[in-house]
Amino acid sequence: GPGGGTSTAVTLTVNQTPALTSASSTTFLAGTTGKFTVTTTGFPVPTLSETGALPGGVSFNSATGVLSGIPALGTGGVYNLTFKATNGVGSGAAQNFALTVNQAPALTSASNTTFLAGTAGSFTVTATGYPVPSLSETGALPGGVSFNSSTGVLSGTPAIGSAGVYNISFTASNSVGTNATQNFTLTVDQAPALTSASSTTFLAGAAGSFTVT
């Protein structure tokens, strides 16, 4: 009517380009449940996606933004992933993400080997784990044989006369969990050799003796 006014309800929608607001890295432990939630801002609420190979046992739920699972043993390492958030406003937002899977050390090589005295022998100690484990050896080795902790190689030419069984141990260690120790048997064989004199003299009619060694 005269002097009156009209009013109209107005809905104002403010869109916002998406952004990823969570950290760009996380660390899981192989054999143990891990969980990380990817978070975003933006309107409409962004949808999430992930690209890049994941370790066995780990998956990404794009509906909840949760990266989770139990990394399989043997999957230790760094996984370079990408998360992307899109909501139709702008071109979306991408984040480079590093998933590190740590793994406690384990010794995977055999627990014994045999060398031959006077002949070069070699045995490689192997271990799993991440970060890559360092190796060490304890126990007396035969003369001529040594252990290279950098390469994990037990090698050398056992001295003649060093035949026998050597009970030693190897240890693998990294910054994760408990060190792994393996009892190890190094057997040194030696080919037979006659070491006694090549002649002797007996007297007819008298007792004689000679020991062959």
Side-chain angles (χ1 to χ4, degrees), residues 98-112:
L99 169 61
T100 300
V101 177
N102 286 338
Q103 182 171 325
L107 286 150
T108 55
S109 43
S111 61
N112 63 84

Side-chain angles (χ1 to χ4, degrees), residues 30-63:
T32 301
T33 300
K35 180 180 178 181
F36 179 86
T37 301
V38 178
T39 58
T40 64
T41 57
F43 191 87
V45 175
T47 58
L48 286 166
S49 60
E50 180 271 331
T51 56
L54 292 168
V58 176
S59 60
F60 179 67
N61 186 324
S62 58

